[in-house]
Amino acid sequence: MDNKTIACISTPLGTGAICIIRISGSKCLEIAKKVFFCKTQDLQPRYLYLGDFIYKDVKDKCLMVHFKAPLSYTGENMVEFQCHGGEFLAEKILQALLDCGAVLAENGEFSKRAFLNGKLTLDKAEGIIDVINATSEAELKAGYRMLKGDLKNEVGKFQKILTDCLAELEVTLDYPEHDDEEITLNSAKKILSSLYQQITNLLQTSNTGKIIKHGLNIAIIGKPNVGKSSLLNALIGENRAIVTNIAGTTRDTITETISFNGMKFNFIDTAGIRESEDIVEKIGIERSKQSINESDIVLVVLDSSTDLQEEDKILLDLTKNEKRIILINKTDLNQKENNNYINNLQNNKCLKNNEIILEISALKKQNIEKIKEVIFNKIIDNKMDASALILTNIRQTNNLKIVQQTLNEAIEATDNKTVDIVAFLVRRVWEELGKITGETEIESVIDEIFSKFCLGK
Ligand SMILES: Nc1nc2c(ncn2[C@@H]2O[C@H](COP(=O)(O)OP(=O)(O)OP(=O)(O)O)[C@@H](O)[C@H]2O)c(=O)[nH]1
Ligand SMILES: [Mg+2]
């Protein structure tokens, strides 16, 4: 264990009412006593003391509290100074602590020490990063679940199943006269297959996790001039994209993010799709097609003031396998004929069963909120249940994929391999699971995780 005493400013830099500077390590109280003076010499842990921070030209009235190992965030002795806000003062205080024997903490070093001292598991540490970096409510909730240790509990349940299975296999190995090999292997196969299903279910939540973290990608597509950019502007509530009556105005993709019911929606305005001779427009069109592939949902915009055209049909065909919403735009122009437009779509066999169609006006901002509600309620469906455990972390997801593969090998081995080989594979599955919570920790994984923390955490 690294026994250097580390120090860092733990509140964000900038002007604020107060600023917290923390030190952690065996010498922290000794260092604190060189610079902090109050009425009593007998500083009790977990009591807040008002006193003077004095070192060379630095002087501040501040609060001080100390925690005795192991009852602290890092599990080591810790001291916290709550001094007056302001970058300049905070840095002077930090420098004073460094002069008195502390060293500057690296990113995430406090949390890394907490992990090494058994105060945090890896998944909880990752939950802390997610909570700190959350930019939407859904992300924050997912981070809190991780922080509460829900994933650790789930992984613990899986490991318990494996331990029980391993015990059975080992009895057969140790007392071959006691159990029949085939019966043991059959029973192991059942247990492992059921576990496989549970792990697959958990892995499926990672798609939702990706959406929670990065937002839902929603591509707006349509032939030129149908009102895609007008729609983007209406959806985000500001004039971001250029709107003109000239076909081919938007030449590149534009992405704007809004928050709706605590979820991030990334709307992507694209170049109108049609066969084009113009080289710049052609590149834009290719990007639009790419946007369709990369998006979670497609908004297909049609113009009710013109007839259904070949380009519209091509687009509807191109997106028939996507999750999509058909938007009939410019309905302010010819109210009466909108029904005909939908009939026309039907007659041309452009619609799927249960197709979602909305009549809107991007210009008059009619039915725009409805689009967001439909995306939220019908498209995302109840998978976004924030009370469920959701995998939001790529490391955890990749790890679980390896667990799944190894488990599959173990299941196959129950058919054609001996008990000792199955037992060996089951043990490997157990170890792989351990990497998620850090029970079988690997140095490089740990360093990678804690480097993502901000300074002072
Ligand atoms: N009346 C009416 N006009 C609209 C509506 N939506 C868009 N327009 C007009 O249609 C024209 C084209 O709008 P844009 O938003 O630039 O269309 P676009 O699909 O982005 O066009 P490209 O970028 O060229 O592909 C503009 O003159 C808009 O004012 C609408 O709901 N009603
Ligand atoms: Mg446009």
Side-chain angles (χ1 to χ4, degrees), residues 228-229 242 249-250 269-270:
K228 298 177 296 296
S229 301
I242 300 170
T249 305
T250 308
D269 181 19
T270 63

Side-chain angles (χ1 to χ4, degrees), residues 45-87:
R46 294 173 171 252
Y47 276 81
L48 206 54
Y49 293 97
L50 177 66
D52 295 303
F53 191 105
I54 303 173
Y55 182 77
K56 292 186 182 165
D57 60 335
V58 192
K59 197 168 190 306
D60 189 33
K61 195 129 213 106
C62 70
L63 291 168
M64 181 269 200
V65 57
H66 81 104
F67 303 90
K68 219 171 146 48
L71 302 177
S72 74
Y73 177 70
T74 57
E76 302 174 333
N77 287 341
M78 279 186 86
V79 172
E80 251 183 57
F81 291 108
Q82 302 180 9
C83 63
H84 285 101
E87 229 167 285

Side-chain angles (χ1 to χ4, degrees), residues 222-233 241-251 269-274 281 301 303 305 329-333 360-365:
K223 67 173 190 267
N225 241 1
V226 290
K228 298 177 296 296
S229 301
S230 307
L231 176 63
L232 173 84
N233 291 340
I242 300 170
V243 171
T244 75
N245 56 4
I246 304 163
T249 305
T250 308
R251 297 189 152 210
D269 181 19
T270 63
I273 299 185
R274 64 168 173 190
E281 211 179 325
V301 187
D303 181 348
S305 68
N329 191 30
K330 307 196 188 180
T331 49
D332 54 294
L333 289 178
I360 63 161
S361 165
L363 187 72
K364 299 262 152 67
K365 306 209 171 19

Side-chain angles (χ1 to χ4, degrees), residues 192-349:
L192 298 177
S193 303
S194 141
L195 181 63
Y196 186 89
Q197 192 51 49
Q198 292 182 53
I199 285 175
T200 308
N201 292 347
L202 183 56
L203 260 176
Q204 272 166 1
T205 68
S206 68
N207 286 337
T208 311
K210 215 161 58 195
I211 292 171
I212 285 183
K213 217 160 191 172
H214 304 290
L216 195 71
N217 291 335
I218 307 159
I220 305 173
I221 63 150
K223 67 173 190 267
N225 241 1
V226 290
K228 298 177 296 296
S229 301
S230 307
L231 176 63
L232 173 84
N233 291 340
L235 285 163
I236 64 169
E238 61 181 88
N239 287 335
R240 169 67 177 84
I242 300 170
V243 171
T244 75
N245 56 4
I246 304 163
T249 305
T250 308
R251 297 189 152 210
D252 205 347
T253 50
I254 302 174
T255 305
E256 283 295 321
T257 301
I258 60 156
S259 173
F260 184 77
N261 287 355
M263 280 282 311
K264 274 185 277 190
F265 285 0
N266 310 318
F267 291 109
I268 305 144
D269 181 19
T270 63
I273 299 185
R274 64 168 173 190
E275 287 309 314
S276 166
E277 293 301 315
D278 182 321
I279 181 81
V280 180
E281 211 179 325
K282 257 191 172 156
I283 296 171
I285 291 168
E286 272 317 305
R287 294 228 177 116
S288 306
K289 288 187 180 164
Q290 203 180 328
S291 301
I292 298 176
N293 291 334
E294 289 168 3
S295 62
D296 303 298
I297 295 175
V298 182
L299 303 180
V300 184
V301 187
L302 302 171
D303 181 348
S304 67
S305 68
T306 63
D307 288 331
L308 189 63
Q309 286 163 357
E310 203 49 40
E311 284 139 333
D312 297 314
K313 292 183 196 162
I314 292 171
L315 271 179
L316 287 162
D317 192 55
L318 202 65
T319 54
K320 66 173 186 280
N321 295 324
E322 309 288 328
K323 280 190 174 176
R324 70 177 181 191
I325 301 175
I326 295 179
L327 300 175
I328 302 183
N329 191 30
K330 307 196 188 180
T331 49
D332 54 294
L333 289 178
N334 45 352
Q335 300 276 346
K336 285 190 198 110
E337 293 175 21
N338 295 332
N339 263 343
N340 291 345
Y341 200 91
I342 297 179
N343 287 340
N344 210 356
L345 280 171
Q346 240 145 14
N347 294 339
N348 277 282
K349 301 204 167 24

